[in-house]
């Protein structure tokens, strides 16, 4: 089976887990602290708070940004449900901004338009959650300027994009946002099995995220007493996970290089086909968590669903990232409807994430392209 992405685990990763199993700490301990420091060093942020998943990191980030009942939060329709759930679970009202037809990230044009309208109606969002789709950074420098102009906060969902850069600046540095979240789910760039981290340059946001992660508890450095500050959660990362993360982080350059090589290769092989690839802006370096193509279905023998099915039958586990969230039963229940976000909807009917990961071999890529070509109609 060839999946769209997968983890790459070596002997060092395994050894680091055994070391933790033989130590005194299994749950959040010295390895988590070390991992957080290494994340800071890697991404250029001041603070990092590790959690047991990207979703929980997003949740504590929303809580730290003080998202409460009735607050308005914006994100995009073509994302994983966690980008919206984090705000909804704080009681926020969610709204969406359509994506750009070429980069598949939030459209700056649509965002500006929506902000102008929102200003008139006096309902500027409290927080915007841009999503770095497939590893390509969102246009944070522009979004940061808009956040100053209109007065909203930014939480970057960078689950896909550890190691990516925007104008030469690493994602996670929070140069153009308040908090950035990475996920370490096995399909992502590096893994901790389950895990995530939130980075920030704000001491007070860091402190709040730690409290919400640790059951709402603030520990005193002076004595054994602790205080409960808020009804928090147990979102702790284990030292076992952190040890995998530390070991994986040592290999991230190699992982990113290989993913970028594969992307380059795909672009060459797909050039003359009725297939569009995700446009990477010149100011961006993508981590290529996903390689996303968009099919011009007029030139294919089969429907989108049939192509999906055919490829999967041949054991190529391609996927769609993502089904537009506003068309889900839950979003329909809270008032969204078909037709609201046309670019995301078209994307949801034509896009395909094809295999890309460190261990993917050249002959596997060639074979996949051959199979894909077999679904294209030969119109002369
Ligand atoms: C993976 C992912 C998350 C977080 O997922 P976890 O499995 O909880 O780590 C959030 N947003 C997006 C866009 C993701 O792809």
């Amino acid at each position: 089976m060839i999946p769209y992405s997968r983890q790459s685990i070596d002997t060092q990763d395994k050894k680091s887990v055994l070391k933790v199993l033989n130590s005194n700490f299994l749950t959040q301990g010295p390895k988590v602290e070390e991992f957080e420091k290494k994340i800071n060093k890697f991404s250029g942020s001041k603070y990092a708070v590790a959690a047991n998943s990207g979703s929980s990191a997003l949740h504590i980030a929303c809580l730290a940004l003080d998202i409460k009942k009735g607050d308005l939060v914006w994100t995009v329709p073509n994302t994983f449900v966690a980008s919206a759930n984090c705000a909804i679970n704080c009681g926020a009202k969610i709204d969406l901004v359509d994506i750009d037809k070429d980069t598949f990230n939030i459209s700056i044009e649509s965002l500006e338009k929506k902000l102008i309208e929102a200003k008139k109606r006096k309902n500027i969002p409290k927080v915007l959650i841009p999503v770095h789709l497939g590893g390509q950074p969102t246009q944070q420098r522009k979004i940061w300027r808009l956040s100053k102009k209109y007065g909203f906060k930014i939480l970057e969902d960078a689950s896909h994009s550890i190691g990516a850069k925007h104008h030469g600046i690493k994602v996670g540095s929070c140069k153009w946002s308040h908090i950035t979240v990475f996920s370490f789910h096995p399909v992502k760039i590096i893994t901790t099995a389950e895990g995530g981290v939130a980075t920030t340059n704000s001491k007070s946001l860091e402190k709040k995220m730690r409290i919400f992660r640790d059951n709402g508890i603030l520990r005193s450095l002076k004595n054994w007493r602790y205080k409960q500050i808020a009804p928090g959660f147990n979102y702790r990362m284990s030292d076992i996970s952190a040890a995998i993360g530390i070991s994986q982080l040592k290999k991230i350059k190699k992982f990113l290089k290989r993913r970028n090589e594969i992307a380059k290769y795909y672009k060459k092989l797909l050039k003359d086909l009725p297939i569009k690839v995700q446009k990477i802006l010149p100011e961006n370096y993508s981590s290529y968590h996903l390689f996303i193509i968009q099919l011009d279905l007029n030139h294919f023998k089969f429907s989108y669903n049939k192509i999906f099915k055919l490829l999967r039958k041949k054991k190529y586990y391609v996927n769609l990232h993502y089904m537009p969230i506003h068309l889900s039963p839950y979003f329909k229940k809270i008032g969204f409807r078909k037709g609201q976000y046309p670019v995301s909807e078209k994307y949801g009917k034509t896009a395909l994430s094809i295999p890309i990961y460190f261990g993917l071999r050249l002959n596997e890529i060639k074979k996949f392209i051959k199979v894909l070509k077999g679904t294209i109609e030969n119109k002369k």
Side-chain angles (χ1 to χ4, degrees):
M1 201 262 282
I2 308 268
Y4 71 87
S5 183
R6 57 158 301 162
Q7 72 275 15
S8 171
I9 297 290
D10 68 8
T11 319
Q12 280 310 318
D13 298 326
K14 291 174 195 168
K15 276 191 185 154
S16 64
V17 169
L18 263 182
K19 235 167 129 181
V20 173
L21 287 175
N22 289 320
S23 78
N24 291 326
F25 272 97
L26 295 188
T27 184
Q28 189 171 285
K31 285 290 162 194
V32 171
E33 207 181 311
E34 185 185 338
F35 184 48
E36 290 176 339
K37 287 208 174 108
K38 296 226 150 108
I39 290 289
N40 282 330
K41 188 154 179 247
F42 180 78
S43 61
S45 52
K46 277 201 185 129
Y47 309 104
V49 180
N52 59 2
S53 75
S55 303
S56 21
L58 284 168
H59 191 197
I60 55 172
C62 286
L63 290 164
L65 290 168
D66 199 29
I67 296 173
K68 298 185 301 285
K69 195 171 162 56
D71 285 336
L72 186 59
V73 173
W74 290 1
T75 184
V76 285
N78 71 327
T79 186
F80 184 52
V81 292
S83 322
N85 286 349
C86 56
I88 296 169
N89 284 326
C90 296
K93 199 172 166 292
I94 204 92
D95 203 355
L96 306 170
V97 184
D98 210 352
I99 56 166
D100 176 80
K101 68 178 194 357
D102 300 315
T103 65
F104 310 146
N105 274 338
I106 188 166
S107 155
I108 300 298
E109 229 186 336
S110 304
L111 176 61
E112 275 200 274
K113 248 191 210 158
K114 203 174 169 85
L115 284 167
I116 291 167
E117 279 304 305
K119 195 175 174 189
K120 281 187 208 151
R121 284 185 275 108
K122 293 196 167 43
N123 64 346
I124 292 289
K126 185 165 192 170
V127 175
L128 173 73
I129 308 180
V131 180
H132 301 219
L133 194 75
Q136 159 154 249
T138 41
Q139 286 162 278
Q140 278 313 119
R141 209 159 80 173
K142 286 187 180 162
I143 297 174
W144 184 246
R145 241 180 265 142
L146 290 171
S147 89
K148 295 280 171 230
K149 183 169 170 189
Y150 290 94
F152 57 87
K153 296 246 162 74
I154 304 170
L155 163 56
E156 292 176 76
D157 184 343
S159 293
H160 299 179
S161 60
I162 189 166
K165 289 178 202 162
H166 182 55
H167 292 287
I169 304 287
K170 280 230 186 88
V171 171
S173 71
C174 296
K175 185 173 163 104
W176 298 294
S177 69
H178 299 88
I179 301 177
T180 302
V181 165
F182 296 129
S183 162
F184 305 121
H185 179 282
V187 294
K188 309 285 162 75
I189 307 297
I190 59 166
T191 190
T192 59
E194 291 279 6
V197 72
T199 65
T200 185
N201 296 324
S202 153
K203 177 82 198 140
S204 92
L205 288 175
E206 180 224 18
K207 188 174 162 192
K208 283 179 193 160
M209 289 195 283
R210 285 197 195 285
I211 291 169
F212 286 118
R213 177 193 64 184
D214 300 337
N215 288 102
I217 284 170
L218 182 64
R219 281 182 197 280
S220 165
L221 292 173
K222 286 190 216 100
N223 57 38
W224 56 271
R225 290 175 196 281
Y226 65 80
K227 293 183 217 161
Q228 187 186 7
I229 309 287
F233 299 86
N234 173 4
Y235 282 164
R236 289 190 300 262
M237 177 181 270
S238 75
D239 256 26
I240 301 171
S241 282
I244 306 173
I246 293 165
S247 177
Q248 287 262 301
L249 202 53
K250 288 183 187 148
K251 293 168 286 191
I252 194 167
K253 269 196 187 146
K254 192 169 86 169
F255 290 168
L256 292 164
K257 185 167 164 255
R258 182 66 189 141
R259 283 177 178 271
N260 271 270
E261 273 167 14
I262 295 171
K264 205 168 153 190
Y265 196 61
Y266 269 136
K267 283 181 196 172
K268 206 168 91 187
L269 293 177
L270 296 167
K271 215 170 66 199
D272 300 318
L273 303 178
I275 286 170
K276 189 173 129 179
V277 304
Q278 180 186 24
K279 181 181 175 183
I280 306 297
L281 296 174
E283 63 266 37
N284 284 340
Y285 171 76
S286 176
S287 60
Y288 275 111
H289 159 54
L290 303 172
F291 194 86
I292 306 170
I293 61 174
Q294 208 176 12
L295 311 175
D296 180 354
L297 288 165
N298 294 323
H299 293 86
F300 282 79
K301 291 179 207 161
F302 313 106
S303 70
Y304 177 63
N305 281 336
K306 189 79 195 286
I307 293 166
F308 227 95
K309 227 158 113 187
L310 273 170
L311 292 173
R312 285 200 170 185
K313 212 168 116 194
K314 302 221 159 164
K315 304 277 186 271
Y316 296 104
Y317 221 74
V318 295
N319 219 327
L320 167 63
H321 299 95
Y322 294 87
M323 287 186 280
I325 55 176
H326 67 287
L327 302 178
S328 71
Y330 173 70
F331 269 75
K332 282 189 174 155
K333 207 173 80 186
I334 59 173
F336 288 84
R337 59 199 151 67
K338 206 169 153 176
Q340 275 182 299
Y341 306 99
V343 186
S344 297
E345 288 174 30
K346 185 179 175 204
Y347 175 93
K349 286 187 276 190
T350 50
L352 212 55
S353 302
I354 64 176
I356 189 165
Y357 50 88
F358 180 71
L360 186 65
R361 293 195 301 264
L362 200 60
N363 64 324
E364 291 170 328
I365 296 172
K366 283 183 183 159
K367 245 166 107 181
F368 170 75
I369 294 292
K370 215 163 139 188
V371 174
L372 184 67
K373 276 183 175 166
T375 66
I376 297 170
E377 195 140 37
N378 227 339
K379 276 191 202 158
K380 276 271 161 71

